[in-house]
Amino acid sequence: PILYLNLLIVGGSIILGFILHKITDWDLLTCLLSTAPAGLTPMVLLSLELNADSNRVVLFQLLRFATVVLFAPLGGQLLLGG
């Protein structure tokens, strides 16, 4: 189950990166780094190193983080039946 969940998270992020690339016509590297399931600091440093659009990467990573922080308590309550 742990391996399956990790593959699902990474695979889903890659698929989302390709979808974002198709929708926005941004460069593929920026889209993949924007949807990567990693921390904000490593993704920003990597985008700066690889000459991707670091502003977009920061924006998407912050949005992902805020979404998790806002909705994780609600999801936990739903899972626990409260």
Side-chain angles (χ1 to χ4, degrees):
I2 294 172
L3 180 63
Y4 177 71
L5 185 60
N6 284 324
L7 288 175
L8 186 66
I9 290 171
V10 172
S13 296
I14 292 171
I15 291 170
L16 281 175
F18 279 106
I19 291 171
L20 185 64
H21 175 65
K22 278 284 200 200
I23 292 172
T24 61
D25 287 331
W26 297 340
D27 64 302
L28 183 59
L29 185 59
T30 298
C31 294
L32 289 173
L33 291 175
S34 295
T35 58
L40 177 65
T41 304
M43 288 300 103
V44 172
L45 292 175
L46 193 58
S47 69
L48 289 170
E49 185 70 27
L50 298 174
N51 295 325
D53 189 352
S54 58
N55 291 331
R56 289 181 177 150
V57 173
V58 168
L59 179 68
F60 271 81
Q61 288 292 332
L62 282 174
L63 182 65
R64 183 183 60 84
F65 178 72
T67 303
V68 169
V69 169
L70 288 173
F71 291 112
L74 296 173
Q77 286 180 351
L78 288 174
L79 285 175
L80 297 175

Coordinates of all heavy atoms in Angstrom, one line a residue:
P1 N 0.8 -1.2 0.0 CA 0.0 0.0 0.0 C 0.9 1.3 0.0 O 0.5 2.3 -0.6 CB -0.8 -0.1 1.3 CG -0.8 -1.5 1.7 CD 0.5 -2.1 1.1
I2 N 2.0 1.3 0.7 CA 2.8 2.5 0.7 C 3.4 2.8 -0.6 O 3.4 3.9 -1.1 CB 3.9 2.3 1.8 CG1 3.3 2.2 3.2 CG2 4.9 3.4 1.7 CD1 4.3 1.9 4.3
L3 N 3.9 1.7 -1.3 CA 4.5 1.9 -2.6 C 3.4 2.4 -3.6 O 3.6 3.3 -4.4 CB 5.1 0.6 -3.1 CG 5.7 0.6 -4.5 CD1 6.9 1.6 -4.5 CD2 6.2 -0.8 -4.9
Y4 N 2.2 1.8 -3.5 CA 1.1 2.1 -4.4 C 0.7 3.6 -4.2 O 0.5 4.3 -5.2 CB -0.1 1.2 -4.2 CG -1.3 1.5 -5.0 CD1 -1.3 1.3 -6.4 CD2 -2.4 2.1 -4.4 CE1 -2.4 1.7 -7.1 CE2 -3.5 2.5 -5.2 CZ -3.5 2.2 -6.5 OH -4.6 2.6 -7.3
L5 N 0.6 4.0 -2.9 CA 0.2 5.4 -2.7 C 1.3 6.4 -3.2 O 0.9 7.4 -3.7 CB 0.0 5.6 -1.1 CG -0.5 6.9 -0.7 CD1 -1.8 7.2 -1.3 CD2 -0.6 7.0 0.8
N6 N 2.5 6.1 -3.0 CA 3.6 7.0 -3.5 C 3.6 7.0 -5.0 O 3.8 8.1 -5.6 CB 5.0 6.5 -3.0 CG 5.2 6.9 -1.6 OD1 4.8 7.9 -1.1 ND2 5.9 6.0 -0.9
L7 N 3.4 5.9 -5.7 CA 3.3 5.9 -7.1 C 2.1 6.7 -7.6 O 2.1 7.4 -8.6 CB 3.2 4.5 -7.7 CG 4.5 3.7 -7.6 CD1 4.3 2.2 -8.1 CD2 5.6 4.3 -8.5
L8 N 1.0 6.6 -6.9 CA -0.2 7.4 -7.2 C 0.0 8.9 -7.1 O -0.4 9.6 -7.9 CB -1.4 6.9 -6.3 CG -2.8 7.5 -6.6 CD1 -3.2 7.0 -8.0 CD2 -3.7 7.0 -5.5
I9 N 0.7 9.3 -6.0 CA 0.9 10.7 -5.8 C 1.9 11.3 -6.8 O 1.6 12.3 -7.4 CB 1.5 10.9 -4.4 CG1 0.4 10.7 -3.3 CG2 2.0 12.3 -4.2 CD1 0.9 10.6 -1.9
V10 N 3.0 10.6 -7.1 CA 4.0 11.1 -8.1 C 3.4 11.0 -9.5 O 3.5 11.9 -10.3 CB 5.3 10.3 -8.0 CG1 6.2 10.6 -9.1 CG2 5.9 10.5 -6.6
G11 N 2.7 9.9 -9.8 CA 2.1 9.8 -11.1 C 1.0 10.8 -11.4 O 0.9 11.4 -12.4
G12 N 0.2 11.1 -10.3 CA -0.8 12.1 -10.5 C -0.2 13.5 -10.7 O -0.8 14.3 -11.4
S13 N 0.9 13.7 -10.0 CA 1.5 15.1 -10.1 C 2.1 15.2 -11.5 O 2.0 16.3 -12.1 CB 2.6 15.2 -9.1 OG 2.1 15.2 -7.8
I14 N 2.7 14.2 -12.1 CA 3.2 14.2 -13.4 C 2.1 14.5 -14.4 O 2.2 15.3 -15.3 CB 4.0 13.0 -13.7 CG1 5.3 13.0 -12.9 CG2 4.4 12.9 -15.2 CD1 6.1 11.7 -13.0
I15 N 1.0 13.7 -14.2 CA -0.2 13.9 -15.1 C -0.7 15.3 -15.0 O -1.0 16.0 -16.1 CB -1.3 12.9 -14.8 CG1 -0.7 11.5 -15.3 CG2 -2.6 13.2 -15.5 CD1 -1.6 10.3 -14.8
L16 N -0.8 15.9 -13.8 CA -1.3 17.2 -13.6 C -0.4 18.2 -14.3 O -0.8 19.2 -14.8 CB -1.4 17.6 -12.1 CG -2.7 17.0 -11.5 CD1 -2.6 17.3 -10.0 CD2 -3.9 17.6 -12.1
G17 N 0.9 18.0 -14.2 CA 1.9 18.8 -14.9 C 1.7 18.9 -16.4 O 1.8 19.9 -17.0
F18 N 1.5 17.7 -17.0 CA 1.2 17.7 -18.4 C -0.1 18.4 -18.8 O -0.2 19.0 -19.8 CB 1.2 16.2 -18.9 CG 2.6 15.7 -19.2 CD1 3.2 14.8 -18.3 CD2 3.4 16.1 -20.2 CE1 4.4 14.3 -18.5 CE2 4.7 15.7 -20.5 CZ 5.2 14.7 -19.6
I19 N -1.1 18.2 -17.9 CA -2.4 18.9 -18.2 C -2.2 20.4 -18.1 O -2.8 21.1 -18.9 CB -3.5 18.3 -17.2 CG1 -3.8 16.9 -17.5 CG2 -4.7 19.2 -17.2 CD1 -4.7 16.2 -16.5
L20 N -1.5 20.8 -17.1 CA -1.3 22.3 -16.9 C -0.5 22.8 -18.1 O -0.8 23.9 -18.6 CB -0.5 22.5 -15.6 CG -0.3 24.0 -15.2 CD1 -1.6 24.7 -14.9 CD2 0.6 24.0 -14.0
H21 N 0.4 22.0 -18.6 CA 1.2 22.4 -19.8 C 0.3 22.6 -21.0 O 0.4 23.5 -21.8 CB 2.3 21.4 -20.0 CG 3.1 21.7 -21.3 ND1 3.9 22.8 -21.5 CD2 3.2 20.9 -22.4 CE1 4.5 22.7 -22.7 NE2 4.1 21.6 -23.3
K22 N -0.6 21.7 -21.2 CA -1.5 21.7 -22.3 C -2.5 22.9 -22.2 O -2.8 23.6 -23.2 CB -2.4 20.4 -22.4 CG -1.7 19.3 -23.0 CD -1.7 19.5 -24.5 CE -1.4 18.2 -25.2 NZ -1.0 18.3 -26.6
I23 N -3.0 23.2 -21.0 CA -3.9 24.2 -20.8 C -3.3 25.6 -20.9 O -3.9 26.5 -21.5 CB -4.6 24.1 -19.4 CG1 -5.5 22.8 -19.4 CG2 -5.4 25.3 -19.1 CD1 -6.1 22.5 -18.0
T24 N -2.1 25.8 -20.4 CA -1.5 27.1 -20.3 C -0.5 27.4 -21.3 O -0.1 28.6 -21.5 CB -0.9 27.3 -18.9 OG1 0.1 26.3 -18.7 CG2 -1.9 27.2 -17.8
D25 N 0.1 26.4 -22.0 CA 1.2 26.6 -22.9 C 2.5 27.2 -22.2 O 3.3 27.8 -22.9 CB 0.8 27.5 -24.1 CG -0.1 26.7 -25.1 OD1 0.0 25.5 -25.1 OD2 -0.9 27.4 -25.7
W26 N 2.6 27.0 -20.9 CA 3.8 27.3 -20.2 C 4.8 26.2 -20.5 O 4.5 25.2 -21.0 CB 3.7 27.4 -18.7 CG 2.7 28.5 -18.3 CD1 2.3 29.6 -19.0 CD2 2.0 28.5 -17.0 NE1 1.4 30.3 -18.2 CE2 1.2 29.7 -17.0 CE3 2.0 27.7 -15.9 CZ2 0.5 30.1 -15.9 CZ3 1.2 28.1 -14.8 CH2 0.5 29.2 -14.8
D27 N 6.1 26.5 -20.2 CA 7.1 25.4 -20.5 C 6.9 24.2 -19.6 O 6.4 24.4 -18.5 CB 8.5 26.0 -20.4 CG 8.9 26.4 -19.0 OD1 8.2 27.3 -18.5 OD2 9.9 25.9 -18.5
L28 N 7.2 23.1 -20.1 CA 6.9 21.8 -19.4 C 7.6 21.7 -18.0 O 7.0 21.3 -17.0 CB 7.2 20.6 -20.2 CG 6.9 19.2 -19.7 CD1 5.4 19.1 -19.4 CD2 7.4 18.2 -20.6
L29 N 8.8 22.2 -17.9 CA 9.5 22.1 -16.7 C 8.8 23.0 -15.6 O 8.7 22.5 -14.5 CB 11.0 22.6 -16.9 CG 11.9 22.5 -15.7 CD1 12.0 21.1 -15.3 CD2 13.2 23.1 -16.0
T30 N 8.4 24.1 -15.9 CA 7.7 25.0 -14.9 C 6.4 24.3 -14.5 O 6.1 24.2 -13.3 CB 7.3 26.3 -15.6 OG1 8.5 27.0 -15.9 CG2 6.5 27.2 -14.6
C31 N 5.7 23.7 -15.4 CA 4.4 23.0 -15.0 C 4.7 21.7 -14.1 O 4.0 21.5 -13.2 CB 3.7 22.5 -16.3 SG 3.1 23.9 -17.2
L32 N 5.8 21.0 -14.4 CA 6.1 19.8 -13.6 C 6.6 20.2 -12.2 O 6.2 19.6 -11.2 CB 7.1 19.0 -14.3 CG 6.7 18.2 -15.6 CD1 7.8 17.5 -16.3 CD2 5.6 17.2 -15.2
L33 N 7.4 21.3 -12.1 CA 7.8 21.7 -10.8 C 6.7 22.4 -10.0 O 6.7 22.3 -8.8 CB 9.0 22.7 -11.0 CG 10.3 22.2 -11.5 CD1 11.3 23.3 -11.7 CD2 10.8 21.1 -10.6
S34 N 5.7 22.9 -10.7 CA 4.6 23.6 -10.0 C 3.7 22.5 -9.4 O 3.0 22.8 -8.4 CB 3.7 24.4 -11.0 OG 4.5 25.5 -11.5
T35 N 3.6 21.3 -10.0 CA 2.7 20.3 -9.5 C 3.4 19.2 -8.7 O 2.8 18.3 -8.3 CB 1.9 19.7 -10.6 OG1 2.8 19.1 -11.6 CG2 1.0 20.7 -11.3
A36 N 4.7 19.4 -8.5 CA 5.5 18.4 -7.8 C 5.1 18.3 -6.3 O 4.9 19.3 -5.7 CB 7.0 18.7 -7.9
P37 N 5.0 17.1 -5.8 CA 4.6 16.9 -4.4 C 5.8 17.1 -3.4 O 6.2 16.1 -2.8 CB 4.0 15.5 -4.3 CG 4.8 14.8 -5.4 CD 5.1 15.8 -6.5
A38 N 6.4 18.2 -3.5 CA 7.6 18.5 -2.6 C 7.4 19.8 -1.9 O 6.4 20.5 -2.1 CB 8.8 18.5 -3.5
G39 N 8.4 20.2 -1.2 CA 8.3 21.4 -0.4 C 8.5 22.6 -1.3 O 9.1 22.5 -2.4
L40 N 8.2 23.7 -0.7 CA 8.3 25.0 -1.4 C 9.7 25.4 -1.7 O 10.1 25.7 -2.8 CB 7.6 26.1 -0.6 CG 7.7 27.5 -1.2 CD1 6.9 27.6 -2.4 CD2 7.1 28.5 -0.1
T41 N 10.5 25.3 -0.7 CA 11.9 25.7 -0.9 C 12.7 24.8 -1.9 O 13.4 25.4 -2.8 CB 12.7 25.7 0.5 OG1 11.9 26.5 1.4 CG2 14.1 26.2 0.4
P42 N 12.6 23.5 -1.8 CA 13.4 22.7 -2.8 C 12.9 23.0 -4.3 O 13.7 23.1 -5.2 CB 13.1 21.3 -2.5 CG 12.7 21.3 -1.0 CD 12.0 22.6 -0.8
M43 N 11.6 23.2 -4.4 CA 11.0 23.4 -5.8 C 11.5 24.8 -6.3 O 11.8 24.9 -7.5 CB 9.5 23.3 -5.8 CG 9.0 21.9 -5.7 SD 9.6 20.8 -7.0 CE 10.9 19.9 -6.1
V44 N 11.5 25.8 -5.4 CA 11.9 27.1 -5.9 C 13.4 27.1 -6.2 O 13.8 27.6 -7.3 CB 11.6 28.2 -4.8 CG1 12.2 29.5 -5.2 CG2 10.1 28.3 -4.6
L45 N 14.2 26.5 -5.4 CA 15.6 26.4 -5.7 C 15.9 25.6 -7.0 O 16.7 26.0 -7.8 CB 16.4 25.8 -4.5 CG 16.4 26.6 -3.2 CD1 17.1 25.8 -2.1 CD2 17.2 27.9 -3.5
L46 N 15.2 24.6 -7.2 CA 15.3 23.8 -8.4 C 14.9 24.6 -9.6 O 15.5 24.5 -10.7 CB 14.5 22.5 -8.3 CG 14.8 21.4 -9.3 CD1 16.2 21.0 -9.3 CD2 13.9 20.2 -9.0
S47 N 13.8 25.3 -9.5 CA 13.3 26.1 -10.6 C 14.3 27.2 -10.9 O 14.5 27.6 -12.1 CB 11.9 26.7 -10.3 OG 12.0 27.7 -9.3
L48 N 14.9 27.8 -9.9 CA 16.0 28.8 -10.2 C 17.2 28.2 -10.9 O 17.8 28.8 -11.8 CB 16.4 29.5 -8.9 CG 15.3 30.4 -8.3 CD1 15.8 30.9 -6.9 CD2 15.1 31.6 -9.2
E49 N 17.6 27.0 -10.4 CA 18.7 26.3 -11.0 C 18.5 25.9 -12.4 O 19.4 25.9 -13.3 CB 19.1 25.1 -10.1 CG 20.3 24.4 -10.5 CD 21.6 25.2 -10.2 OE1 21.6 26.0 -9.3 OE2 22.6 24.9 -11.0
L50 N 17.3 25.5 -12.7 CA 17.0 25.0 -14.1 C 16.4 26.0 -15.0 O 15.9 25.7 -16.1 CB 16.0 23.8 -14.0 CG 16.5 22.6 -13.2 CD1 15.5 21.5 -13.0 CD2 17.8 22.0 -13.9
N51 N 16.3 27.3 -14.6 CA 15.8 28.4 -15.4 C 14.4 28.2 -15.7 O 13.9 28.6 -16.8 CB 16.7 28.6 -16.6 CG 18.1 29.1 -16.3 OD1 18.3 29.8 -15.3 ND2 19.0 28.6 -17.1
A52 N 13.6 27.7 -14.8 CA 12.1 27.6 -15.0 C 11.5 28.9 -14.4 O 12.2 29.7 -13.8 CB 11.6 26.4 -14.3
D53 N 10.3 29.1 -14.6 CA 9.6 30.3 -14.1 C 9.3 30.2 -12.6 O 8.3 29.6 -12.2 CB 8.3 30.6 -14.9 CG 7.7 31.9 -14.6 OD1 8.2 32.6 -13.6 OD2 6.7 32.3 -15.3
S54 N 10.2 30.7 -11.8 CA 10.1 30.4 -10.4 C 8.9 31.1 -9.7 O 8.4 30.7 -8.7 CB 11.4 30.8 -9.7 OG 11.7 32.2 -9.9
N55 N 8.5 32.2 -10.3 CA 7.3 32.9 -9.8 C 6.1 32.0 -9.8 O 5.3 32.0 -8.9 CB 7.0 34.2 -10.5 CG 8.1 35.3 -10.2 OD1 8.7 35.3 -9.1 ND2 8.4 36.1 -11.2
R56 N 5.9 31.4 -11.0 CA 4.7 30.5 -11.1 C 4.9 29.3 -10.2 O 3.9 28.8 -9.6 CB 4.6 30.1 -12.6 CG 4.1 31.2 -13.4 CD 4.0 30.8 -14.9 NE 3.4 31.9 -15.6 CZ 3.7 32.1 -16.9 NH1 4.4 31.3 -17.6 NH2 3.2 33.2 -17.5
V57 N 6.1 28.7 -10.1 CA 6.3 27.6 -9.2 C 6.0 28.0 -7.8 O 5.3 27.2 -7.1 CB 7.8 27.1 -9.3 CG1 8.1 26.0 -8.3 CG2 8.0 26.6 -10.7
V58 N 6.4 29.1 -7.3 CA 6.1 29.6 -6.0 C 4.6 29.7 -5.8 O 4.0 29.2 -4.8 CB 6.8 30.9 -5.6 CG1 6.3 31.6 -4.4 CG2 8.3 30.8 -5.6
L59 N 3.9 30.3 -6.7 CA 2.5 30.5 -6.6 C 1.7 29.2 -6.5 O 0.9 29.0 -5.6 CB 2.0 31.3 -7.8 CG 0.5 31.6 -7.8 CD1 0.1 32.6 -6.7 CD2 0.1 32.2 -9.2
F60 N 2.1 28.3 -7.4 CA 1.4 27.0 -7.3 C 1.7 26.2 -6.1 O 0.8 25.5 -5.5 CB 1.7 26.2 -8.6 CG 0.8 26.4 -9.7 CD1 0.9 27.6 -10.5 CD2 -0.3 25.6 -10.0 CE1 0.1 27.8 -11.5 CE2 -1.2 25.9 -11.0 CZ -1.0 27.0 -11.8
Q61 N 3.0 26.2 -5.6 CA 3.3 25.5 -4.4 C 2.7 26.1 -3.2 O 2.2 25.3 -2.3 CB 4.9 25.4 -4.3 CG 5.6 24.6 -5.3 CD 5.3 23.1 -5.0 OE1 5.0 22.6 -3.9 NE2 5.4 22.3 -6.1
L62 N 2.6 27.4 -3.1 CA 1.9 28.0 -2.0 C 0.4 27.7 -2.0 O -0.2 27.5 -1.0 CB 2.1 29.5 -2.0 CG 3.4 30.0 -1.5 CD1 3.5 31.5 -1.7 CD2 3.5 29.7 0.0
L63 N -0.2 27.7 -3.2 CA -1.6 27.4 -3.4 C -1.8 25.9 -2.9 O -2.8 25.6 -2.2 CB -2.1 27.6 -4.8 CG -3.5 27.3 -5.1 CD1 -4.4 28.3 -4.3 CD2 -3.8 27.4 -6.6
R64 N -1.0 25.0 -3.3 CA -1.1 23.6 -2.9 C -1.0 23.5 -1.4 O -1.8 22.8 -0.7 CB 0.0 22.8 -3.6 CG -0.1 21.3 -3.3 CD 1.1 20.6 -3.9 NE 2.4 21.0 -3.4 CZ 2.9 20.5 -2.3 NH1 2.3 19.7 -1.6 NH2 4.1 21.0 -1.9
F65 N 0.0 24.2 -0.8 CA 0.2 24.1 0.7 C -1.1 24.7 1.4 O -1.6 24.1 2.4 CB 1.4 24.9 1.0 CG 1.7 25.0 2.5 CD1 2.1 23.8 3.2 CD2 1.5 26.1 3.2 CE1 2.3 23.9 4.6 CE2 1.7 26.2 4.6 CZ 2.1 25.0 5.3
A66 N -1.6 25.8 0.9 CA -2.7 26.4 1.6 C -4.0 25.5 1.5 O -4.8 25.4 2.4 CB -3.0 27.8 1.0
T67 N -4.1 24.9 0.3 CA -5.3 24.0 0.1 C -5.2 22.8 1.1 O -6.2 22.4 1.7 CB -5.3 23.5 -1.3 OG1 -5.3 24.6 -2.2 CG2 -6.5 22.6 -1.6
V68 N -4.0 22.2 1.3 CA -3.8 21.1 2.2 C -4.1 21.6 3.6 O -4.8 20.9 4.4 CB -2.4 20.5 2.1 CG1 -2.1 19.5 3.2 CG2 -2.3 19.8 0.8
V69 N -3.6 22.7 4.0 CA -3.8 23.2 5.4 C -5.3 23.5 5.6 O -5.8 23.2 6.7 CB -2.9 24.5 5.6 CG1 -3.3 25.2 6.9 CG2 -1.5 24.1 5.7
L70 N -6.0 24.0 4.6 CA -7.4 24.4 4.8 C -8.3 23.1 4.8 O -9.3 23.1 5.6 CB -7.9 25.3 3.7 CG -7.3 26.8 3.8 CD1 -7.7 27.6 2.6 CD2 -7.9 27.4 5.1
F71 N -8.0 22.2 4.0 CA -9.0 21.1 3.8 C -8.6 19.8 4.5 O -9.4 18.9 4.7 CB -9.1 20.8 2.3 CG -9.9 21.8 1.6 CD1 -9.3 22.6 0.6 CD2 -11.2 22.1 1.9 CE1 -10.0 23.6 0.0 CE2 -11.9 23.1 1.2 CZ -11.3 23.9 0.3
A72 N -7.4 19.7 5.0 CA -7.0 18.5 5.8 C -7.8 18.3 7.1 O -8.3 17.2 7.3 CB -5.5 18.5 6.1
P73 N -8.1 19.3 7.8 CA -8.9 19.1 9.0 C -10.3 18.7 8.7 O -10.9 17.8 9.3 CB -9.0 20.5 9.7 CG -7.7 21.2 9.3 CD -7.5 20.7 7.9
L74 N -10.9 19.2 7.6 CA -12.2 18.8 7.2 C -12.2 17.3 6.7 O -13.1 16.5 7.0 CB -12.7 19.7 6.0 CG -12.9 21.1 6.4 CD1 -13.3 21.9 5.1 CD2 -14.0 21.3 7.4
G75 N -11.2 16.9 6.0 CA -11.1 15.5 5.5 C -10.9 14.6 6.7 O -11.4 13.5 6.7
G76 N -10.1 15.0 7.7 CA -9.9 14.2 8.9 C -11.2 14.0 9.7 O -11.5 12.9 10.1
Q77 N -12.0 15.1 9.8 CA -13.3 14.9 10.4 C -14.2 14.0 9.7 O -15.0 13.2 10.3 CB -13.9 16.3 10.6 CG -13.3 17.1 11.7 CD -14.0 18.5 11.8 OE1 -14.8 18.9 11.0 NE2 -13.6 19.2 12.8
L78 N -14.2 14.1 8.4 CA -15.1 13.2 7.6 C -14.7 11.7 7.7 O -15.5 10.9 7.8 CB -15.1 13.6 6.1 CG -15.8 14.9 5.8 CD1 -15.5 15.3 4.3 CD2 -17.3 14.8 6.0
L79 N -13.4 11.5 7.7 CA -12.9 10.1 7.9 C -13.2 9.5 9.2 O -13.4 8.3 9.4 CB -11.4 10.1 7.6 CG -10.9 10.2 6.1 CD1 -9.4 10.3 6.0 CD2 -11.5 9.0 5.3
L80 N -13.1 10.4 10.3 CA -13.4 9.9 11.6 C -14.9 9.9 12.0 O -15.2 9.5 13.1 CB -12.6 10.8 12.6 CG -11.1 10.7 12.5 CD1 -10.4 11.7 13.5 CD2 -10.6 9.3 12.8
G81 N -15.7 10.4 11.0 CA -17.1 10.3 11.2 C -17.7 11.4 12.2 O -18.7 11.2 12.8
G82 N -16.9 12.5 12.3 CA -17.4 13.5 13.2 C -17.9 14.7 12.5 O -18.5 15.6 12.5

